[in-house]
């Protein structure tokens, strides 16, 4: 039980985050107070939402303080516990941050992970917030069914790939939007989408969506906003649903302008709904059990890209935000005992 | 049974409709085919949606053809019937258009009106599409309840006033947005709103909304879009609902730009939903019965402004679109037999 290696935020990025905005630091092992749990971090996550956590502005989360470890979800092993609800050896998920050791209030631990059900890293992905985001957005807001067409943004990404497969499982036709021919092939071959569009290869995205969604878009699962949303809106069918789980294509300062779309929502009777999976954490076990069954019977597939050491986390974040990752982006911090 | 006076569309307006875009014409009385009903028009309506019906562009309705009678809802008396479902003397509501006599397919008659329940003109207002719009938007999409704050646009108008009162009836606090001190007083004194804002008197509308909605806006009933929507979005509470029933502040060509608000929908987990009352016509009798009970017990009030002759209809439309009307805008065509 020595020191605690951490990746801290060195300065607040003015544009897209760079590796140099972060630094490794070795801090002391934190002390445990009553009700707290000491966790040895095994795996941490790299998330699109982190871009928003780094900037100081209106958001659903306070910005990460400069000089503090980067906020992240993590999977860890309970080493010591002063919360009677947790015992050493248990695997748990919580906001560990990018560090080797984390002290979590027992009440802040999101859930226990049973390693017999699925590989524990899935608790940070398809059986975690990623899967919950896809489920709430696609199944509950999108309501896919036979005859419907679901269009999915960042379709080869962890959330998008899961959302698209959930639409398929519920009988809808699924069309993916993604940023390379390689990812387009993954959408078709690995995730079984009915069609996929490489938006970088299409001079007119709205026309490409019209081509692949000839009966219109009944569900647009939106994690990007901006011009992709505009192109989707040009193709929405009457009564379409647009769950919004991210706006990664917009500048983080919130100052973007674009075509007004309230009339489009009216004319096509569209429901557009922003949601955060973190509002639904109390349902994570229930949703994860459902997703685990589809994982087990092969109807739901997932990809992971695991960086080998904690020090690789900033590079993994940059890679993710540039759209170069393939599958759920995770960072290995330590191996299970 | 002589000729048929009509107000026809003379030319498609390029900007806001003017009286000179319409003309009176005397046409022959239409012939009846099997399944049709001859209706003597008593009252026709003047609606904000008419602006959209006049322009040629993406809309939820085909544009009114130049040279044809202006499309409108109307209340009329069945004079002759070749549909066994209707008998002479019955009062009915349908798309009569601005004309003295209309032939309607029996299947196009929206409903019968029982003059014993309420004054028949209410079938074109608070107990008609107007009330249905307010009910679907405020009650079903907005879901008002105790502790919630509902902000209502065009609050002294027929739909807005009804929507606001429905929020009150369901226990919410109601704040109206309207365009004059006179209308502000009507919101407070006639319709019993908790607060009302004259947006023409406020240099900073978002700040005025913040002042009157200190706990944020839980429901924004939107019939205007544009900058008023932007100001409301600045004040939405987490989990807000925005039913959209009109976008009258936008240019009808659909080319407006403005601040992008998808991130706002995400951060505050807002549901924004366009709807058209005409999708819910099959429920009009059920909803009207509910509204009639509130009218009868005095919890729901309404204002009507009835122009005296058919030839006054174009001026009434201009007046409505300039926001100078008070209450539901109707035109008397004839008196009941």
């Amino acid at each position: 039980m020595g020191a605690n290696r951490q990746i801290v935020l060195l300065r607040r990025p003015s544009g897209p985050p760079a590796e140099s905005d972060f630094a490794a630091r070795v801090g002391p092992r934190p002390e445990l107070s009553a009700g707290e749990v000491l966790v040895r971090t095994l795996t941490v996550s790299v998330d699109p939402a982190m871009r928003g956590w780094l900037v100081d502005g209106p958001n659903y989360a306070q910005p990460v303080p400069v000089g503090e470890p980067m906020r992240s979800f993590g999977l860890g092993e309970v080493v010591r516990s002063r919360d009677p609800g947790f015992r050493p050896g248990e695997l748990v998920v919580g906001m560990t941050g990018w560090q080797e050791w984390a002290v979590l209030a027992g009440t802040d631990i999101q859930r226990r992970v049973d390693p017999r059900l699925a590989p524990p890293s899935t608790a940070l992905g398809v059986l975690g917030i990623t899967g919950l985001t896809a489920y709430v957005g696609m199944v509950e807001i999108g309501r896919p069914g036979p005859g419907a067409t679901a269009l999915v943004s960042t379709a080869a990404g962890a959330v998008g790939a899961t959302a698209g497969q959930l639409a398929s499982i519920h009988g809808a036709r699924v069309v993916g939007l993604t940023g390379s021919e390689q990812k387009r092939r993954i959408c078709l071959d690995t995730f079984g989408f009915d069609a996929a569009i490489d938006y970088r290869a299409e001079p007119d995205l709205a026309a490409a969506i019209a081509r692949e969604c000839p009966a219109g878009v009944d569900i647009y699962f939106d994690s990007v906003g901006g011009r992709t949303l505009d192109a989707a809106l040009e193709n929405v069918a009457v009564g379409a649903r647009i769950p919004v789980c991210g706006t990664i294509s917009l500048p983080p300062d919130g100052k973007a302008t674009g075509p007004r779309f309230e009339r489009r929502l009216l004319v096509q009777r569209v429901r557009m709904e922003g949601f955060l999976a973190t509002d639904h954490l109390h349902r994570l076990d229930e949703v994860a059990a459902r997703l685990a069954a589809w994982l087990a019977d092969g109807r739901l597939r997932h990809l992971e890209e695991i960086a080998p050491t904690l020090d690789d986390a900033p590079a993994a974040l940059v890679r993710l935000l540039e759209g170069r990752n393939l599958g759920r982006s995770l960072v290995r911090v330590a191996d299970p005992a």
Side-chain angles (χ1 to χ4, degrees), chain A:
Chain A
M1 311 253 297
N4 182 18
R5 191 167 183 86
Q6 305 173 318
I7 306 296
V8 302
L9 180 63
L10 206 58
R11 60 181 165 233
R12 210 166 284 299
S14 53
E19 287 183 56
S20 56
D21 296 325
F22 299 90
R25 183 179 76 180
V26 176
R29 183 82 60 78
E31 291 300 310
L32 268 197
S33 305
E36 290 182 336
V37 175
L38 177 66
V39 168
R40 190 170 73 99
T41 311
L42 302 176
T43 311
V44 293
S45 71
V46 177
D47 291 279
M50 287 175 170
R51 198 189 61 150
W53 300 348
L54 293 175
V55 298
D56 203 356
N59 207 330
Y60 44 85
Q62 290 296 308
V64 175
V66 171
E68 294 290 309
M70 179 61 191
R71 178 186 303 148
S72 80
F73 296 99
L75 167 75
E77 192 173 60
V78 174
V79 172
R80 282 203 297 134
S81 175
R82 294 189 59 188
D83 179 322
F86 293 92
R87 283 171 301 137
E90 288 186 313
L91 291 180
V92 295
V93 168
M95 297 301 278
T96 59
W98 285 353
Q99 55 184 347
E100 291 178 321
W101 297 90
V103 168
L104 301 175
T107 50
D108 283 349
I109 288 180
Q110 286 168 7
R111 52 200 287 243
R112 277 189 192 76
V113 176
D114 183 344
R116 296 165 302 187
L117 285 185
S121 66
T122 57
L124 293 177
V126 65
L127 300 188
I129 304 278
T130 303
L132 184 63
T133 303
Y135 189 90
V136 170
M138 181 56 81
V139 179
E140 300 192 341
I141 301 176
R143 291 181 281 112
T149 296
L151 179 71
V152 177
S153 65
T154 61
V159 170
T162 306
Q165 292 175 90
L166 286 173
S168 286
I169 288 169
H170 287 80
R173 188 167 168 275
V174 180
V175 178
L177 292 170
T178 190
S180 72
E181 177 59 19
Q182 181 193 17
K183 291 182 180 178
R184 212 180 70 81
R185 295 292 349 156
I186 288 174
C187 287
L188 297 171
D189 301 339
T190 304
F191 299 125
F193 285 19
D194 299 284
I197 297 168
D198 171 9
Y199 58 80
R200 291 189 215 261
E202 299 287 349
D204 182 341
L205 183 56
I209 293 170
R211 185 185 69 221
E212 301 298 344
C213 306
V217 172
D218 298 294
I219 304 163
Y220 172 51
F221 187 97
D222 188 11
S223 51
V224 298
R227 286 192 212 168
T228 310
L229 170 60
D230 298 339
L233 279 165
E234 285 191 47
N235 288 286
V236 283
V238 166
R241 287 80 66 193
I242 305 184
V244 179
C245 72
T247 57
I248 197 74
S249 78
L250 298 184
D253 65 5
K255 296 286 193 297
T257 60
R260 286 192 170 279
F261 50 80
E262 55 266 40
R263 182 150 192 87
R264 191 76 188 145
L265 299 186
L266 172 62
V267 170
Q268 298 296 82
R269 298 84 131 176
V270 176
R271 171 183 292 185
M272 186 165 172
E273 184 164 348
F275 72 100
L276 296 177
T278 45
D279 289 339
H280 301 266
L281 285 179
H282 57 286
R283 299 178 44 217
L284 184 48
D285 283 336
E286 161 216 333
V287 170
R290 225 166 286 180
L291 296 172
W294 287 316
L295 265 188
D297 73 10
R299 298 173 76 188
L300 180 60
R301 305 178 74 173
H302 72 117
L303 291 178
E304 289 175 345
E305 172 177 287
I306 305 185
T309 76
L310 180 60
D311 288 10
D312 299 314
L317 177 60
V318 171
R319 187 173 154 84
L320 174 84
L321 295 178
E322 290 176 351
R324 292 186 287 115
N325 65 306
L326 287 176
R328 176 63 173 148
S329 182
L330 300 174
V331 178
R332 174 193 158 279
V333 181
D335 292 320

